[in-house]
Amino acid sequence: MKLEALVPSLEPLKVKDLPKFQTNDPESACNMLELIVQGTKGARGVIWNTFKDLEEHELEALSQDFPSPHFLIGPFQKYFPASSSSLIAQDQTSLSWLDQHPPKSVLYVSFGSLVRIEESQFLEIAWGLSNSKQPFLWVVRPGPIKGSEWLELLPNGFLERIVKGIGYIVKWAPQQDILAHPAIGGFWTHNGWNSTLESVCEGVPMISSPSFGDQLPISRYVSDVWKIGVKLENGFKRSEIESAIRRVMVDEEGLEFRNKIANITEKVNLCLKKGGSSYSSLEDLVNYILSFP
């Protein structure tokens, strides 16, 4: 089956969007996934970190195979303050740097705590950011690039250029605070579910670069279903990176993304208020648990 082909009954997902995992023991991985599915089917209830207006139809379809009660009580990010399990300290100077920029002018770039990239990909990212001429805040964890401790592989003169104000690089950042900052106009992300929901909660359109697992179908939903961002379909290529940044940050299409995600963000705020879908679902969950003998 061709990678660009649509997956029957899962449109608009393409074959290349199906979750994939790197493992040296595929049989054990498949057995683990089967145990997870069977365990979920046998559960007395399923709690979801999502909300009705975002995934109602998908959850309705899923409930046919998982008949236990479903409780959509998210986004969890709105219930609890941000926390980080990273051993890298959050760089708070990124917030003061953002304070110097106009609203919606800065692209935030972070690919999470697990993604590893090749040297060639790292350089394409750097040149794509630089060539876009858009201000950016780039999180580069120590060690994710093979053969490099941190920034040694950056092109000659790159750091000197961004010191002039176009960009800022940190080892780790307080992501929820960053996304809530008025200067942020876009988020280039790996589309892990937590990062995606954080972006949705703050009304920030996305550029998607998924790597594995659920990041792949989430990215397709961002670009083709919710239509709140752009997916880099061909990996890391500087020309496509530059084009995607301009689409989200500069072009009229970016305004459409912002309007659509702002509408979803408003639904987030409503679903958490008394009488909202997540508020009511949480009440249902409490009552359901209290009904147990």
Side-chain angles (χ1 to χ4, degrees), residues 71-96:
F71 302 96
L72 283 64
I73 65 172
F76 294 168
Q77 286 81 352
K78 284 290 188 177
Y79 290 113
F80 308 107
S83 62
S84 175
S85 58
S86 174
L87 297 177
I88 308 172
Q90 294 180 345
D91 191 330
Q92 300 293 329
T93 65
S94 53
L95 292 169
S96 57

Side-chain angles (χ1 to χ4, degrees), residues 157-171:
F158 188 85
L159 283 176
E160 290 77 4
R161 178 176 180 178
I162 68 170
V163 164
K164 296 179 181 179
I166 192 174
Y168 196 62
I169 301 178
V170 297
K171 294 180 178 179

Side-chain angles (χ1 to χ4, degrees), residues 226-237:
W226 304 322
K227 298 182 179 180
I228 53 176
V230 175
K231 180 177 181 180
L232 291 175
E233 298 283 0
N234 301 302
F236 298 101
K237 295 183 178 180

Side-chain angles (χ1 to χ4, degrees), residues 46-48 50 69-74 76 79 270-292:
V46 184
I47 298 170
W48 297 94
T50 188
H70 293 244
F71 302 96
L72 283 64
I73 65 172
F76 294 168
Y79 290 113
L270 291 174
C271 81
L272 297 172
K273 293 181 179 180
K274 187 175 180 62
S277 60
S278 292
Y279 188 104
S280 299
S281 189
L282 182 57
E283 288 186 322
D284 292 342
L285 173 61
V286 172
N287 292 330
Y288 184 61
I289 293 173
L290 291 176
S291 72
F292 294 166

Side-chain angles (χ1 to χ4, degrees), residues 31-293:
N31 290 337
M32 181 188 70
L33 289 173
E34 183 177 358
L35 288 172
I36 291 173
V37 171
Q38 294 304 321
T40 304
K41 285 186 175 182
R44 298 182 69 172
V46 184
I47 298 170
W48 297 94
N49 181 20
T50 188
F51 57 101
K52 183 177 180 180
D53 284 305
L54 191 66
E55 297 186 282
E56 180 177 12
H57 299 299
E58 289 75 14
L59 268 297
E60 285 179 354
L62 197 60
S63 64
Q64 298 177 15
D65 294 316
F66 296 83
S68 301
H70 293 244
F71 302 96
L72 283 64
I73 65 172
F76 294 168
Q77 286 81 352
K78 284 290 188 177
Y79 290 113
F80 308 107
S83 62
S84 175
S85 58
S86 174
L87 297 177
I88 308 172
Q90 294 180 345
D91 191 330
Q92 300 293 329
T93 65
S94 53
L95 292 169
S96 57
W97 184 81
L98 287 174
D99 290 339
Q100 305 169 31
H101 291 80
K104 311 296 184 186
S105 65
V106 178
L107 176 70
Y108 172 55
V109 185
S110 178
F111 304 126
S113 57
L114 296 176
V115 173
R116 297 183 63 84
I117 59 177
E118 302 291 336
E119 176 182 353
S120 59
Q121 296 173 321
F122 182 65
L123 292 176
E124 290 297 300
I125 294 170
W127 282 119
L129 288 170
S130 177
N131 293 344
S132 76
K133 297 181 174 57
Q134 296 300 308
F136 61 86
L137 170 61
W138 185 11
V139 174
V140 181
R141 291 180 295 110
I145 304 105
K146 295 180 181 179
S148 171
E149 289 298 320
W150 193 35
L151 302 177
E152 306 93 297
L153 299 178
L154 283 174
N156 290 334
F158 188 85
L159 283 176
E160 290 77 4
R161 178 176 180 178
I162 68 170
V163 164
K164 296 179 181 179
I166 192 174
Y168 196 62
I169 301 178
V170 297
K171 294 180 178 179
W172 200 243
Q175 180 158 292
Q176 282 185 254
D177 293 334
I178 295 295
L179 290 171
H181 196 285
I184 294 297
F187 180 19
W188 185 4
T189 172
H190 62 306
N191 274 133
W193 188 234
N194 286 332
S195 290
T196 301
L197 279 183
E198 287 169 2
S199 202
V200 166
C201 287
E202 301 301 338
V204 180
M206 287 166 267
I207 298 172
S208 302
S209 291
S211 294
F212 58 85
D214 64 345
Q215 300 167 14
L216 295 145
I218 292 170
S219 175
R220 181 62 61 197
Y221 265 68
V222 165
S223 63
D224 289 24
V225 178
W226 304 322
K227 298 182 179 180
I228 53 176
V230 175
K231 180 177 181 180
L232 291 175
E233 298 283 0
N234 301 302
F236 298 101
K237 295 183 178 180
R238 66 185 70 180
S239 59
E240 294 185 23
I241 292 169
E242 180 183 352
S243 174
I245 293 172
R246 295 195 64 83
R247 287 176 65 188
V248 171
M249 300 293 296
V250 179
D251 296 347
E252 187 173 341
E253 187 179 12
L255 180 59
E256 296 176 6
F257 293 145
R258 283 192 287 276
N259 288 338
K260 287 179 179 178
I261 199 169
N263 181 53
I264 298 175
T265 303
E266 179 60 24
K267 291 178 179 179
V268 169
N269 296 329
L270 291 174
C271 81
L272 297 172
K273 293 181 179 180
K274 187 175 180 62
S277 60
S278 292
Y279 188 104
S280 299
S281 189
L282 182 57
E283 288 186 322
D284 292 342
L285 173 61
V286 172
N287 292 330
Y288 184 61
I289 293 173
L290 291 176
S291 72
F292 294 166

